[in-house]
Amino acid sequence: MPDPVKLTIDGRQVEAAKGDLVIDVAERAGSFIPRFCYHPRMESVGMCRMCIVDIDTGRGPALQPSCMITVSDGMVVTTDSPGTKKAQDGVLEFLLINHPLDCPVCDKGGECPLQDNAYAYGPGESRFVEEKRHYEKPIPVSDLVLLDRERCILCDRCTRFAKEVAGDPLIHFLNRGNQTEVNTFPDHPFASYFSGNTVQICPVGALTASAYRFKARPWDLEKTESTCTSCAVGCRVTVEASRNHVLRSQGVDVDPVNWGWLCDKGRFDFEAIESPARLVEPRVRKGDALVGTSWSQALGTSAERIRQASSVAFLGGARLTNEAAYAWAKLAKGVIGTDDVDAQLGDGLPVEVVHGLPAATIDEVCTPGGTIVVIAPDVKEELPVLFLRLRHAVVHDKARIVEISPTDTSLTALAAVSLRCRPGEAHEIVRALVAGGDHAAVLDGDLDAASALLAAGPVTAIVGRPSVAESPAAVVEAASLLLEAKADTRFLVTLRRANVRGALDMGLAPGVLPGRIGLDEGREWFQGNGWAKVPAGRGADATGILTAAAEGRLDVLVLLGCDPMTDFPDRDLASRAIAGARTVIAVDTFLNESSSRADVVLAAAGWGEVEGTTTNIEGRVSVLGQRVTAPGTARADWILAAELAVHLGADLGLESVADIWDEIERLSPTHGGLGASVLKSLVAADGVLVPASAEVLAAAEGTPVTIGGSVVAAGTSDATHATTEAEAGADSGDRTGSESEAGSEIDAGNETDAEPAGDFEGAGGAASPAGPRRPSPMGWVRPPAYAAPARDAYALRLVTARRLYDRGTLVANSPSLSGLAPGTRLTVAPLDIARLGVRDGGRVRVTSPRATLTVEVHADPAIPNGTALLHLNQPEGPDPAQLIDATRPVTEIRLETV
C-alpha cells in the first residue's frame, strides 16, 4: 500500500489507503457502522445520517457522516461514543414516525436493515403515537417491481442506481417536504433491464419483486451460491429455495465480474425451472406423437440409431456445464469418432479465433483511461451486466469507447467516437483507422478522432457478431488488422450463450479437443490417456451440419439443449435440416420447435438442479450450485452421455462430477492444476481464469474449504499439470495452420470417423506416466484475408440483432418475463423510405434470396442509408431468419411498395 494513512478506530491503530471512506475502513477493522443510503458500488450522498460517528481530525471530536469523510493521518474515530449512540437513536426514531408496522407481512422482514438497526441502535420505544401515513399499496412501477410508498425512508439508493449505474433515470423523488416520495412519472414506467437490483438494495422493503412477493421468508429459504447461466457474463448469484422450489435469485458481489448487479432476465428467469411445461421423462416418437417411455427404452433406441448410422453430428451444448460438455465431447469424438460437433449456432466466431486471440478480462477492458474498440452486438441486449461495467468505466474512470457498428446501439451515447459501416465492412474501417486506408467505408463518424484515441493509450477490443445476417469474416478480419497494427491489443470475445466458452474449451467445436488443442496436436495425447479414438480430420460447423442434414446426408442429429429452428439465423436451412435428418435425438428441458419434431427426447435437469462448473466470456471458471432436484426422472446431461455410451458398448469412465473434473484437470493443458479443491477454495471465490496462474494455484494451497460439511485442505491436486501463461503461449505459431479452413460438408461415409461408426470401444482408462507429451493450447494464426462483397446499389443490407427478451426457452417459460419481448419491425433510414414513396408505418414487400415477406416499415435516423434492421426471435412482427442465407457473407434485401 503506497503511503498508507494511519488512524485510530475505537482505540485500534489501523492503516488505510488515501481516499478510503471512514465507513469502509471501520468495517474492515471490525467496527460495523450502521447505514441505509450508503452502498459501496455507488457515490455517497450522506442522506440518511445513520452512519454518523464521532470523528476527530485534530480539532476535537464532531459527529460526522462516515460515508462522506475520507481518512486522514492521525484521525481518531469512535463508533460507540455516547454522542454517536444518541444521534443514531434519534435518526431511527424519526425514520419510524411514519414507517408502517408491516413487518409481519413485509417481504423484507427478517433481512431488513431498518429492522436490524432499530433493534441494535434504536430507542426500543417510540414517543410518537399519531396516525401514520397511508398510501395505496402496492403500486406497480414496472412489470417486475412493486412499490409500497409508505415504507420508503428516502435513502436514494434506487434512484441513484437507476441514474448512476444503469443510466436509466426512470424512478425519481417527487413532491417536496413531508410529501416527498419515490415514484415514476405518468406513462414512464421503470422499464429498465436492471430494475430488480433496486429491490435487492432497497433497505426497507419499499420496492418488492412481483415474482417473490408473499412467497417465503428468509428463514424459510435454503441458499446456495452459484453462477447465472442466462448469458455468458457469468454473474455470481445465490439460488434460494424452499420445499424443493426455487423462489428467488439474488446477485453476489464478485469484483472481477458483476459487482453484485444482475439483469432482470438473469434475476427472474429462474421461474422457468418451475414451469409446468418442463420435460419430466424421456419420450419417443410413435406415429405423429411423442409419448413418455422408460429411460432404458429411450437410451436403447438412441444407441441403436447411432450404432446403425454412418454419419452422426452433435449441435449445441452451450447450456451444459463444463463437465457435461466434456462428457458429450468424449462420447462424440472419443467413442463415436465424429468431429461434426458445434456448440455455436451460426452466430459466433470460429473456434480458432476464440481460442487464439490474446484474451482480455472484463477488468482489463475497463481499465481507467484506456481505449475500448467495440465491434460487437449491442452488449446491453446480449450481455447486460457487461454494459454496466463499460458504462462505469466511461462515466467514472475516463475510459474511451470507439464503436464500429452498422447501427446505433446502447453504447453509442457513451462512445467517444461512433463509426458507422455497412454490414460486412467493419474491417474496412479498422484498416482506415490503423493504416489510413480508404475512408469510403465510414458512413458516419470522425475517423481522425478515432485514430487519435487508438494511438493515445492502451487498447482493448470487444469483438463479436454485430449482426447474424452477415458472416463472421468481416469481424475476424477487423480483429486481425487491429492485432497486426497494435500487437499488445487484447480481446474480449462476446459470445452470448451461457457456457459457450466452456463448451468450446471442452471440445464441442469442429477441429478441437478439450483444452483448446487442435485434433492433430492432441491425438496422441488423448489416445494415450484413455480415449478410444480421435477423429481423423476436422468436421463441419453448425451451418455444415445443418446443410448435410437438409440434403439427406446425415443419419443422426443430436441436439444438446438447442433449438436451431428458432435460434439458428437461417430459418429455411434449420427447418429443412430437422426434416431431413433420418433421426433427431434431442436432449432438453422443454419441448421447443426443434425438439418437438425429434424422434427421441431425453429429459435433462436444468439450472439449480445440477452441480458442476461454468466458464464465462473471459475464460473464468466458477462453480455452479445445486439447490433443488430435477422434476420427474429428468437426469443431469453428463449422466445421459455416460449412459448412452454404455448402451453403445463403451464406458466413458466417468461416474461423478468430481470424476469428470479430475479427468479434465489431468488431460486439459488449460485446466491443469485446477483441482476441485482449488475451485472451492476461498481464493477461487471470484472464479479462476484459465490457464490458472502459478500465483493463484500457490495461493490456494492449504486454504481450508468446506466440502459436504467437512473441512478439507485445498490445493491438493496435482499442481504439476499447471500451465503458466508462458507455457500456454509457447510453440503456438504452427499449431492451427492445418485447421484454419473449416470443413463445410459431411459425406455419406462420415469422413471425420477414424473407424467405422458402428465400432465402439471402451473409452475409460488412466494415463500412463510414460505416455505422450502434453500438448500446448492453440495460439493465434491469422485467418485468410477477407474482402467485402460488392454492393448492390438497389438493395439494402440487412442487420439482424437480438434483444434481451425474446421467445427463447427461458423467457417464454418465465411468467414474469414472457410478456416483455417487444416484438420487431423493419426500420430503415428516412432517405430510403422516402425513395420508396411509402409513408412511415406503411407496408412494403421485402425480398431476399431466401424468402419474400410483407411487413410494416418505419423510418429511423439511427439507421444509416442502405441498411435495414430487424430483431431476431421476437414473438411479434416479421421473422428475419426467413430472409437470411447462412452461406452468404451478407444478406441483401430489396423493398417494393405493396
Side-chain angles (χ1 to χ4, degrees):
M1 183 187 299
D3 300 323
V5 173
K6 297 181 180 180
L7 67 158
T8 302
I9 299 178
D10 292 337
R12 297 187 301 274
Q13 295 289 323
V14 299
E15 291 186 352
K18 186 177 180 181
D20 283 355
L21 294 171
V22 170
I23 193 170
D24 292 329
V25 177
E27 185 170 359
R28 293 198 297 267
S31 295
F32 178 79
I33 299 175
R35 76 291 300 268
F36 292 118
C37 69
Y38 175 71
H39 191 284
R41 295 297 186 186
M42 294 188 287
E43 295 292 330
S44 296
V45 290
M47 291 187 66
C48 71
R49 318 310 276 186
M50 189 66 214
C51 69
I52 286 177
V53 295
D54 263 322
I55 299 177
D56 185 355
T57 58
R59 299 181 180 180
L63 290 173
Q64 300 181 67
S66 58
C67 72
M68 299 294 291
I69 307 299
T70 57
V71 296
S72 60
D73 264 324
M75 177 182 284
V76 178
V77 179
T78 306
T79 67
D80 56 358
S81 68
T84 295
K85 292 180 179 179
K86 183 173 179 63
Q88 293 171 343
D89 186 301
V91 168
L92 284 164
E93 187 173 24
F94 276 102
L95 287 177
L96 294 171
I97 291 174
N98 273 303
H99 194 79
L101 299 176
D102 281 351
C103 296
V105 296
C106 177
D107 277 342
K108 203 73 172 183
E111 56 184 7
C112 174
L114 178 59
Q115 196 177 58
D116 295 341
N117 288 337
Y119 280 117
Y121 305 98
E125 184 177 355
S126 176
R127 293 175 290 174
F128 297 94
V129 296
E130 290 77 16
E131 181 71 11
K132 295 177 181 288
R133 255 189 323 234
H134 297 284
Y135 291 108
E136 175 190 354
K137 59 181 296 184
I139 59 173
V141 292
S142 77
D143 293 292
L144 303 171
V145 178
L146 304 174
L147 170 64
D148 291 84
R149 288 170 289 176
E150 70 272 30
R151 296 178 189 169
C152 180
I153 61 171
L154 306 180
C155 69
D156 200 24
R157 276 190 172 193
C158 59
T159 57
R160 279 185 291 147
F161 171 84
K163 182 178 180 180
E164 294 178 15
V165 179
D168 298 324
L170 300 170
I171 187 167
H172 313 264
F173 284 135
L174 305 182
N175 304 324
R176 291 173 177 262
N178 189 50
Q179 300 302 314
T180 303
E181 64 181 68
V182 165
N183 212 325
T184 58
F185 289 113
D187 301 321
H188 288 82
F190 190 24
S192 169
Y193 285 169
F194 310 101
S195 64
N197 293 289
T198 63
V199 174
Q200 183 170 342
I201 65 176
C202 178
V204 292
L207 294 169
T208 55
S210 57
Y212 177 72
R213 191 175 174 94
F214 300 143
K215 292 289 181 65
R217 285 307 189 90
W219 52 83
D220 296 326
L221 299 174
E222 296 176 312
K223 304 178 182 181
T224 298
E225 190 168 318
S226 187
T227 304
C228 177
T229 57
S230 298
C231 76
V233 174
C235 302
R236 290 296 284 173
V237 298
T238 57
V239 187
E240 305 185 7
S242 178
R243 300 178 301 280
N244 201 45
H245 294 284
V246 177
L247 299 179
R248 186 170 68 172
S249 180
Q250 297 274 69
V252 174
D253 196 328
V254 171
D255 194 68
V257 186
N258 61 308
W259 290 8
W261 312 129
L262 297 177
C263 72
D264 286 349
K265 180 180 178 182
R267 185 177 295 275
F268 296 110
D269 67 7
F270 70 86
E271 291 179 322
I273 301 171
E274 303 295 325
S275 171
R278 280 288 302 274
L279 284 168
V280 298
E281 62 182 355
R283 300 186 185 186
V284 296
R285 183 165 298 282
K286 292 186 177 179
D288 293 332
L290 283 169
V291 298
T293 188
S294 67
W295 276 107
S296 177
Q297 177 68 30
L299 291 168
T301 301
S302 300
E304 184 63 24
R305 301 289 181 91
I306 293 173
R307 187 179 291 109
Q308 294 174 355
S310 60
S311 54
V312 181
F314 292 74
L315 198 60
R319 74 161 181 81
L320 307 179
T321 65
N322 289 327
E323 292 81 356
Y326 178 84
W328 281 100
K330 188 173 183 179
L331 174 66
K333 300 191 177 190
V335 174
I336 299 173
T338 179
D339 195 52
D340 300 321
V341 178
D342 197 355
Q344 303 189 80
L345 287 186
D347 56 3
L349 299 179
V351 64
E352 291 86 0
V353 173
V354 177
H355 288 338
L357 282 173
T361 66
I362 294 174
D363 277 346
E364 288 168 345
V365 167
C366 297
T367 298
T371 297
I372 310 164
V373 178
V374 179
I375 313 170
D378 191 330
V379 292
K380 189 175 184 179
E381 300 289 347
E382 299 204 8
L383 302 164
V385 174
L386 176 60
F387 167 78
L388 295 185
R389 293 293 309 273
L390 290 171
R391 186 178 188 281
H392 185 277
V394 171
V395 174
H396 299 283
D397 295 333
K398 295 183 171 58
R400 289 81 51 91
I401 289 177
V402 175
E403 180 191 45
I404 301 172
S405 171
T407 64
D408 282 8
T409 72
S410 60
L411 291 178
T412 300
L414 298 171
V417 182
S418 281
L419 303 173
R420 292 289 162 266
C421 64
R422 296 178 184 84
E425 296 182 4
H427 64 295
E428 298 290 355
I429 290 188
V430 174
R431 179 177 286 111
L433 275 174
V434 300
D438 186 2
H439 291 209
V442 183
L443 302 182
D444 188 28
D446 189 339
L447 189 67
D448 293 334
S451 297
L453 287 176
L454 261 64
V459 174
T460 53
I462 298 175
V463 293
R465 293 278 288 279
S467 166
V468 296
E470 62 178 285
S471 78
V475 174
V476 173
E477 180 69 9
S480 303
L481 292 169
L482 188 58
L483 189 57
E484 288 171 358
K486 297 184 71 68
D488 59 347
T489 304
R490 294 294 178 265
F491 296 84
L492 184 66
V493 180
T494 54
L495 307 177
R496 76 182 271 272
R497 291 185 181 83
N499 194 33
V500 62
R501 187 67 185 261
L504 299 182
D505 282 357
M506 295 301 120
L508 287 182
V512 295
L513 293 168
R516 309 175 189 173
I517 306 169
L519 287 177
D520 293 336
E521 290 73 20
R523 178 170 289 103
E524 184 181 1
W525 170 255
F526 277 86
Q527 288 186 326
N529 284 279
W531 281 41
K533 61 179 75 169
V534 169
R538 183 190 176 104
D541 62 5
T543 302
I545 290 170
L546 293 175
T547 299
E551 295 174 355
R553 295 184 287 108
L554 184 63
D555 290 331
V556 176
L557 174 62
V558 182
L559 303 177
L560 299 177
C562 70
D563 180 11
M565 287 187 63
T566 297
D567 220 15
F568 188 73
D570 186 336
R571 173 73 182 224
D572 175 73
L573 178 58
S575 299
R576 289 188 292 113
I578 298 299
R582 293 180 180 86
T583 297
V584 177
I585 301 170
V587 182
D588 220 317
T589 53
F590 291 89
L591 284 181
N592 51 47
E593 282 201 60
S594 300
S595 60
S596 62
R597 291 166 171 78
D599 300 282
V600 182
V601 179
L602 305 180
W607 182 80
E609 300 166 351
V610 296
E611 60 178 341
T613 60
T614 185
T615 306
N616 79 343
I617 51 175
E618 309 166 286
R620 183 180 303 275
V621 176
S622 58
V623 177
L624 288 170
Q626 179 183 353
R627 183 63 272 163
V628 296
T629 56
T633 61
R635 299 180 178 181
D637 297 272
W638 74 266
I639 294 177
L640 299 179
E643 292 192 354
L644 185 54
V646 171
H647 280 75
L648 289 169
D651 182 3
L652 296 185
L654 308 173
E655 298 183 356
S656 67
V657 171
D659 278 352
I660 302 173
W661 189 260
D662 286 345
E663 186 164 317
I664 292 170
E665 183 209 357
R666 180 167 55 85
L667 297 185
S668 166
T670 53
H671 298 81
L674 195 62
S677 58
V678 176
L679 281 175
K680 294 183 179 181
S681 70
L682 295 178
V683 172
D686 293 348
V688 178
L689 286 169
V690 293
S693 67
E695 290 77 13
V696 168
L697 296 176
E701 288 293 331
T703 303
V705 296
T706 301
I707 300 176
S710 302
V711 177
V712 300
T716 56
S717 59
D718 185 0
T720 60
H721 294 321
T723 305
T724 64
E725 267 187 60
E727 183 184 348
D731 302 326
S732 63
D734 59 352
R735 278 199 295 275
T736 58
S738 62
E739 303 160 7
S740 60
E741 296 183 6
S744 60
E745 295 190 0
I746 312 171
D747 66 14
N750 194 7
E751 288 184 355
T752 62
D753 242 333
E755 302 180 35
D759 181 18
F760 303 107
E761 303 176 13
S768 168
R773 176 182 175 275
R774 174 185 294 271
S776 297
M778 61 177 58
W780 173 250
V781 174
R782 198 208 195 285
Y786 161 79
R791 293 193 293 272
D792 182 344
Y794 297 97
L796 306 181
R797 287 193 177 173
L798 181 64
V799 175
T800 302
R802 299 183 187 272
R803 304 296 294 268
L804 182 65
Y805 302 129
D806 56 17
R807 60 189 179 100
T809 298
L810 293 177
V811 172
N813 290 283
S814 298
S816 296
L817 303 176
S818 57
L820 300 182
T824 189
R825 59 187 189 178
L826 180 69
T827 53
V828 300
L831 179 61
D832 288 326
I833 196 174
R835 284 195 296 188
L836 283 173
V838 179
R839 63 177 177 82
D840 192 1
R843 296 183 69 77
V844 296
R845 185 179 296 109
V846 182
T847 302
S848 80
R850 272 282 195 252
T852 297
L853 305 174
T854 300
V855 301
E856 191 176 284
V857 64
H858 293 266
D860 185 347
I863 309 295
N865 296 336
T867 303
L869 173 66
L870 281 170
H871 288 102
L872 191 69
N873 201 18
Q874 289 296 308
E876 297 178 4
D879 180 7
Q882 296 182 47
L883 300 169
I884 298 171
D885 183 345
T887 64
R888 292 175 177 259
V890 296
T891 298
E892 293 187 324
I893 59 174
R894 294 197 178 197
L895 306 185
E896 302 172 286
T897 55
V898 176

